[in-house]
Amino acid sequence: MDNGDLEGGGGDLAFHGKGGRKYSPVGAHDRAVLEMSSMDPGSSSDSKSCVRKNNAGTVGNLDSDGREGSNPENGGANGPYQEHKLELFGFDSLVSILGLKSMTGEQAPALSSPRDGEDVSITSGQPKPSAVKMGTMMGVFVPCLQSILGIIYYIRFSWIVGMGGIGDALLLVSLCGLCTFLTGISLSAIATNGAMKGGGPYYLIGRALGPEVGVSIGLCFFLGNAVAGALYVLGAVETFLKALPSAGIFTETTTKVNGTVSEPIQSITGVTGLSLESFKDNWSSDYKNTNSAGIPDAEGNVHWNFHALVGLFFPAVTGIMAGSNRSASLEDTQRSIPIGTLAATLTTTGLYLVSVLLFGAVATRDKLLTDRLLTATIAWPFPAIIHIGIILSTLGAALQSLTGAPRLLAAISNDDILPVLNYFKVAEGSEPYMATLFTAFICMGCVIIGNLDLITPTVTMFFLLCYSGVNLSCFLLDLLDAPSWRPRWKFHHWSFSLLGASLCIVIMFLISWSFTVVSLALASLIYYYVSIKGKAGDWGDGFKSAYFQLALRSLRSLGANQVHPKNWYPIPLIFCRPWGKLPENVPCHPKLADFANCMKKKGRGMSIFINILDGDYHERAEDAKAACKQLDTYINYKNCEGVAEIVVAPNMSEGFRGVVQTMGLGNLKPNIVVMRYPEIWRRENLKEIPGRFVGIINDCIVANKAVVIVKGLDEWPNEYQRQYGTIDLYWIVRDGGLMLLLSQLLLTKESFESCKIQVFCIAEEDTDAEGLKADVKKFLYDLRMQAEVFVIAIKSWDVQPENGSQPDESKEAFTAAQQRVADYLAEIKETAKKEGTPLMADGKPVIVNEQQVEKFLYTTLKLNSTILRYSRMAAVVLVSLPPPPVSHPAYCYMEYMDLLVDNLPRLLMVRGYRRDVVTLFT
């Protein structure tokens, strides 16, 4: 292996392994090296190749998950693949069935060429009988109608009219009906914006607001449907016992629904028939106290008002999702869901409004408040019709809940977001038996309890929470108006969805603020659990589009002007390419991300991790994709907010020069270049490193980027290794306050929070030390920075230090560096003399002033010895990075830097840029 291979080993070797070969870790003993060295880029689904290469005119079979299967040319299950007649430069026809099916993730059937006149069905593998799909009437309208016309209408609605009066009852029905109608419009818009799988509102909300919100609201909606089935069963039982009191097991049988106890049917006294007088008497409200059975009682402990009636009545309008819950069983979801849902909503709302007028006109107020089954009392020709109708209707609604809720739970499980729900997964087209059993268990438990006083309001909240999610989903999608938002249902607007969501929230608080808080808390806990334990699912939800729009708006608002120091954030460009080798499958030094996190306050800020692969872009494009995925895995493993970028270039110098010019957008460009100091260049005899290292620094200076070079990266502490001592700053040149700001950011991390800052000002011998110290203290005080200030006066830089004034190790390093520089200069002079050319180094002419070289060596020696004298035990040292001298060989500059960092275990060399990053003003 030549020197170039050694230098680029980290960039090349890290991404050329096939099959998971392992190398022993080199350098740092971080556990990330050991763990990441065993990572195989092909082991995860995210590491699959993004580009598949196929022969022209042939396409591999895809299984149900979209993975490549057997090649049809080799004789798959479907026989040889037929070539398409329509091709364009070797690409298959865009209208091929295979292409269209692959867009929706469905299994693609093999194409066949039937003879003329033959009717041949296209199948894949063994023919599978398709399930019978339902239309609008039986698939959506009837289920919604059954669910909406529930027990509340039959045995509580007349009582509501008597308590609130005709006027408030009309307002109540209109408010609740408007809420569900607006939700139905939002549901129709989302359901017609593409193919819809099983899961109903969960599928819509999850794909619009993300998996976390979708799962949290979906599980709450499942629980609401499951317990609602118990409510319908209890209503049917109550009606049955009223019709046949002798069927009761106990002597006195009462059943509580919504906090009230049923009473025996009164006589027909109080029924006036259609009477204008009764209509006038019942128009206004007459809210009063009642006993637990709902009978008016001045000393009753239950007080009724409009808010309480909303809570009692709203379950009578729920059920609009019954059709969308069966979306997997519908023949045409985009047609059936809007028509069926809105038709059922309008039909039931109109029935409720007419019923308010009829109930208010046919009986006195006392009759309305005392006869819970007034609908049966006034029925023609006999009450049994209503009894039978109530029982059949409520049992039908219960069955709707017991069929819709399991499918909802199965849809949530099939998305594989929460591993705990894997028990309820079902194959496509199969019945969710486990989910049905679980739903029935919940329903039976609530039926056995028999008292839904505490459960029913929460169930209502779950329905309202789901409706809010549907409205907010449509509002977000309609407001963002992404190119993919093209619903077939055109009668919608974001204002309708916003009004519907607002109504849902208002009704929730009208019913009960305490139950609202409980339901929101439960949904929040599920959301938090999903965000921690759930698997990542990228569904292209509306929040991603919102983030994109917000990013564009924020980028435009920043403009092209420089960011004010008060709003300045470090955006480090982390140069991952190491000066040496790393284990295979380890894309970056494991401590670089730890250091990048130390440059952020409370984790806020973005880091860009960049790596450069040598070679031709067309030849190494696939390697770059694999390398990017590996680097992204490393960033996520280190919990660092950042993005990974891989650049293919002929060599590292050209690649970095292009990166430093083009990386970023507007003011969101990296402003600090962070890289590791090449400590091994002399030990490994990597003679090309000095030229590349100096070239990178010069490129950063020209591009006006700050530079931070880390020496001792192997010993850099992680977040669990607490440091003690001091953070010492050697402030030599003005850097815009970058060194001071970095020291303050280090203090915000747990590993350095126990340290103190010391500022050492290096001054000439004749400088007013006390005056300089006072000025620096005042400056730091105005910057709100706590630090101890020291002024160190050093004699003229041109005078060689006296014996005994420097540590022994510094003198040894100085002598060795002096000899190496002399040998190098003699070598390039001899080469120039032999070839008859000007003095050349690094492929360009140089001018060597040997006295100036000696001066720089002495200066570096004095600074190194000063740091060793005062900061040998410091937790970390920050020193100003001297710029490379003009026309000096890069080898000489590396000798200066080696002498500067000698015997210092942990050092940051910092160079600011032409602007301030801190300010004195508020």
Side-chain angles (χ1 to χ4, degrees):
M1 181 180 292
D2 58 15
N3 294 335
D5 291 335
L6 282 172
E7 187 275 334
D12 299 338
L13 290 176
F15 307 110
H16 280 182
K18 305 290 184 183
R21 291 177 293 156
K22 301 180 181 178
Y23 287 77
S24 301
V26 178
H29 300 287
D30 192 283
R31 62 190 179 98
V33 175
L34 299 176
E35 294 189 16
M36 297 187 70
S37 62
S38 63
M39 288 185 180
D40 187 355
S43 61
S44 63
S45 60
D46 293 338
S47 301
K48 295 178 183 176
S49 176
C50 298
V51 179
R52 294 187 175 94
K53 296 180 180 179
N54 296 326
N55 296 328
T58 62
V59 180
N61 282 344
L62 302 181
D63 61 16
S64 59
D65 295 328
R67 296 186 292 269
E68 284 187 311
S70 60
N71 195 322
E73 293 182 348
N74 298 330
N78 302 318
Y81 183 85
Q82 302 292 329
E83 287 188 353
H84 297 297
K85 295 182 180 179
L86 177 60
E87 293 184 358
L88 181 63
F89 301 111
F91 287 95
D92 294 331
S93 168
L94 295 178
V95 298
S96 68
I97 296 179
L98 183 64
L100 293 177
K101 292 294 185 181
S102 63
M103 292 174 64
T104 59
E106 297 178 5
Q107 185 173 354
L111 295 182
S112 61
S113 300
R115 298 183 178 90
D116 294 339
E118 289 184 346
D119 183 11
V120 181
S121 60
I122 300 176
T123 59
S124 177
Q126 296 295 329
K128 180 180 179 180
S130 59
V132 178
K133 300 292 185 177
M134 292 181 289
T136 302
M137 178 62 69
M138 299 305 299
V140 181
F141 181 77
V142 172
C144 287
L145 201 66
Q146 267 189 317
S147 298
I148 296 174
L149 287 178
I151 189 63
I152 300 299
Y153 173 72
Y154 294 108
I155 64 176
R156 297 294 182 266
F157 195 47
S158 59
W159 183 92
I160 291 174
V161 175
M163 181 64 70
I166 298 175
D168 281 9
L170 291 175
L171 177 62
L172 175 64
V173 173
S174 301
L175 178 66
C176 297
L178 178 63
C179 177
T180 55
F181 180 73
L182 293 175
T183 304
I185 292 179
S186 300
L187 176 68
S188 302
I190 305 177
T192 58
N193 189 51
M196 182 177 172
K197 296 182 180 179
Y202 156 73
Y203 182 87
L204 302 178
I205 296 173
R207 268 58 180 180
L209 301 182
E212 294 86 358
V213 179
V215 171
S216 58
I217 295 181
L219 288 178
C220 290
F221 189 57
F222 159 74
L223 185 61
N225 275 276
V227 181
L231 175 64
Y232 300 137
V233 171
L234 288 174
V237 172
E238 177 182 347
T239 306
F240 178 75
L241 292 177
K242 285 181 178 295
L244 296 173
S246 61
I249 299 176
F250 303 102
T251 304
E252 181 179 358
T253 303
T254 59
T255 305
K256 284 192 175 183
V257 178
N258 284 335
T260 61
V261 181
S262 62
E263 292 290 330
I265 303 176
Q266 305 295 321
S267 63
I268 61 173
T269 305
V271 176
T272 62
L274 292 176
S275 169
L276 183 60
E277 190 68 24
S278 298
F279 186 90
K280 293 179 180 179
D281 293 339
N282 293 329
W283 175 260
S284 60
S285 61
D286 187 17
Y287 296 111
K288 57 185 66 176
N289 293 344
T290 66
N291 57 23
S292 59
I295 304 301
D297 186 354
E299 298 180 358
N301 56 359
V302 180
H303 178 70
W304 291 93
N305 51 29
F306 184 78
H307 299 176
L309 289 186
V310 173
L312 177 62
F313 173 73
F314 194 83
V317 297
T318 59
I320 62 173
M321 300 293 181
S324 60
N325 287 342
R326 305 161 65 92
S327 55
S329 304
L330 298 177
E331 184 177 357
D332 187 356
T333 57
Q334 299 190 31
R335 180 179 182 274
S336 298
I337 289 180
I339 297 176
T341 302
L342 291 177
T345 303
L346 292 176
T347 300
T348 53
T349 302
L351 177 62
Y352 287 155
L353 292 174
V354 172
S355 299
V356 170
L357 301 177
L358 292 177
F359 285 148
V362 299
T364 63
R365 190 181 297 271
D366 291 339
K367 184 64 174 178
L368 292 174
L369 293 175
T370 54
D371 190 352
R372 290 306 182 89
L373 272 175
L374 182 64
T375 53
T377 303
I378 61 177
W380 182 88
F382 41 80
I385 295 178
I386 298 300
H387 295 158
I388 296 174
I390 293 175
I391 294 174
L392 294 179
S393 176
T394 51
L395 289 180
L399 291 176
Q400 291 293 340
S401 298
L402 291 178
T403 55
R407 284 170 170 77
L408 175 60
L409 182 59
I412 299 175
S413 306
N414 286 345
D415 278 335
D416 200 22
I417 300 298
L418 278 181
V420 73
L421 300 179
N422 289 342
Y423 299 103
F424 306 110
K425 285 185 176 180
V426 294
E428 185 176 358
S430 301
E431 290 296 326
Y433 297 111
M434 290 300 298
T436 303
L437 183 62
F438 181 68
T439 305
F441 178 78
I442 295 177
C443 184
M444 286 188 296
C446 295
V447 170
I448 292 174
I449 294 174
N451 188 340
L452 300 180
D453 291 351
L454 299 178
I455 300 177
T456 303
T458 308
V459 173
T460 305
M461 299 301 172
F462 290 157
F463 280 102
L464 284 168
L465 193 62
C466 178
Y467 298 165
S468 301
V470 172
N471 283 298
L472 289 177
S473 300
C474 186
F475 166 73
L476 180 63
L477 295 174
D478 212 354
L479 193 64
L480 295 174
D481 200 16
S484 61
W485 177 244
R486 301 184 303 275
R488 294 182 182 276
W489 181 260
K490 302 299 182 182
F491 304 99
H492 67 91
H493 193 265
W494 63 264
S495 59
F496 295 161
S497 301
L498 182 60
L499 178 60
S502 303
L503 275 178
C504 291
I505 301 299
V506 168
I507 292 175
M508 290 176 70
F509 281 97
L510 280 179
I511 295 173
S512 172
W513 68 268
S514 58
F515 279 107
T516 300
V517 172
V518 170
S519 59
L520 291 177
L522 179 60
S524 301
L525 287 176
I526 299 176
Y527 178 91
Y528 181 71
Y529 180 78
V530 174
S531 62
I532 295 178
K533 299 293 185 179
K535 298 181 181 179
D538 187 5
W539 296 335
D541 53 83
F543 280 136
K544 298 294 190 303
S545 180
Y547 296 152
F548 180 78
Q549 296 285 353
L550 182 61
L552 291 180
R553 187 179 297 273
S554 301
L555 188 62
R556 288 195 300 266
S557 64
L558 287 175
N561 299 326
Q562 288 187 343
V563 179
H564 193 274
K566 289 190 296 184
N567 303 324
W568 188 86
Y569 284 85
I571 305 177
L573 178 68
I574 312 296
F575 189 41
C576 299
R577 186 154 181 177
W579 313 105
K581 295 183 294 184
L582 282 176
E584 186 177 357
N585 295 336
V586 178
C588 183
H589 192 289
K591 293 297 185 71
L592 267 177
D594 293 329
F595 178 75
N597 283 330
C598 290
M599 301 180 69
K600 303 172 185 176
K601 186 175 183 180
K602 298 181 180 179
R604 290 191 292 265
M606 181 182 67
S607 301
I608 302 175
F609 290 77
I610 182 73
N611 209 343
I612 298 173
L613 301 184
D614 294 338
D616 180 74
Y617 174 70
H618 294 280
E619 296 177 355
R620 303 208 61 185
E622 294 300 320
D623 294 338
K625 293 177 183 178
C628 187
K629 291 174 181 177
Q630 278 191 332
L631 188 55
D632 188 64
T633 301
Y634 161 81
I635 296 171
N636 294 331
Y637 171 79
K638 283 292 187 176
N639 294 322
C640 182
E641 289 189 0
V643 295
E645 294 289 345
I646 303 295
V647 174
V648 179
N651 55 65
M652 185 180 70
S653 299
E654 292 187 17
F656 183 83
R657 193 168 292 123
V659 166
V660 80
Q661 293 181 74
T662 60
M663 186 64 67
L665 293 172
N667 272 326
L668 289 180
K669 289 184 177 180
N671 46 33
I672 302 177
V673 175
V674 178
M675 59 180 173
R676 183 188 184 189
Y677 184 75
E679 303 174 47
I680 66 169
W681 75 276
R682 186 185 298 112
R683 183 174 71 247
E684 301 288 346
N685 196 27
L686 303 178
K687 295 182 179 179
E688 70 282 350
I689 283 186
R692 296 182 178 182
F693 182 75
V694 173
I696 288 175
I697 296 178
N698 285 329
D699 290 342
C700 294
I701 294 174
V702 173
N704 194 26
K705 307 289 185 184
V707 182
V708 176
I709 300 174
V710 187
K711 193 262 183 180
L713 189 61
D714 292 347
E715 290 77 28
W716 192 265
N718 58 34
E719 56 182 333
Y720 305 108
Q721 297 172 330
R722 185 173 293 273
Q723 303 295 302
Y724 299 93
T726 59
I727 300 175
D728 293 351
L729 281 66
Y730 285 82
W731 201 4
I732 302 174
V733 297
R734 182 178 181 272
D735 62 352
L738 179 59
M739 193 184 302
L740 292 171
L741 184 61
L742 288 179
S743 65
Q744 293 295 320
L745 292 176
L746 288 176
L747 287 182
T748 62
K749 301 301 175 183
E750 293 184 6
S751 52
F752 289 99
E753 64 181 2
S754 300
C755 298
K756 297 181 180 179
I757 297 179
Q758 296 182 150
V759 177
F760 295 87
C761 300
I762 308 299
E764 296 286 352
E765 188 178 23
D766 56 353
T767 303
D768 181 11
E770 293 300 324
L772 178 60
K773 182 176 182 179
D775 291 342
V776 173
K777 278 189 172 182
K778 179 65 168 54
F779 178 70
L780 294 177
Y781 177 81
D782 292 338
L783 288 177
R784 293 88 63 201
M785 295 183 178
Q786 299 291 332
E788 191 173 357
V789 179
F790 300 91
V791 176
I792 300 177
I794 299 181
K795 295 182 180 180
S796 175
W797 302 105
D798 297 328
V799 180
Q800 186 170 353
E802 300 176 358
N803 293 332
S805 61
Q806 309 295 331
D808 293 339
E809 59 266 31
S810 296
K811 291 190 293 184
E812 294 176 2
F814 170 75
T815 304
Q818 195 176 33
Q819 183 62 46
R820 287 191 299 269
V821 170
D823 294 342
Y824 174 78
L825 294 178
E827 181 181 348
I828 62 174
K829 288 179 181 178
E830 182 67 21
T831 301
K833 183 178 179 181
K834 287 182 179 180
E835 298 178 355
T837 60
L839 201 62
M840 301 287 292
D842 308 316
K844 59 183 179 181
V846 295
I847 301 174
V848 177
N849 186 332
E850 296 188 13
Q851 292 183 347
Q852 194 175 31
V853 171
E854 288 290 314
K855 174 184 175 182
F856 287 153
L857 284 174
Y858 291 145
T859 300
T860 308
L861 170 64
K862 290 181 179 180
L863 185 56
N864 175 262
S865 59
T866 301
I867 296 174
L868 287 177
R869 182 181 302 116
Y870 293 101
S871 304
R872 188 182 293 268
M873 303 304 294
V876 62
V877 176
L878 287 80
V879 64
S880 299
L881 173 69
V886 180
S887 300
H888 274 224
Y891 181 90
C892 296
Y893 183 76
M894 288 301 299
E895 289 291 348
Y896 307 153
M897 293 296 97
D898 277 357
L899 184 58
L900 175 63
V901 304
D902 189 59
N903 293 314
L904 295 173
R906 199 180 293 156
L907 181 75
L908 302 181
M909 290 176 281
V910 182
R911 176 175 178 81
Y913 55 115
R914 297 185 295 271
R915 58 159 304 161
D916 293 331
V917 299
V918 294
T919 179
L920 302 175
F921 304 101
T922 183

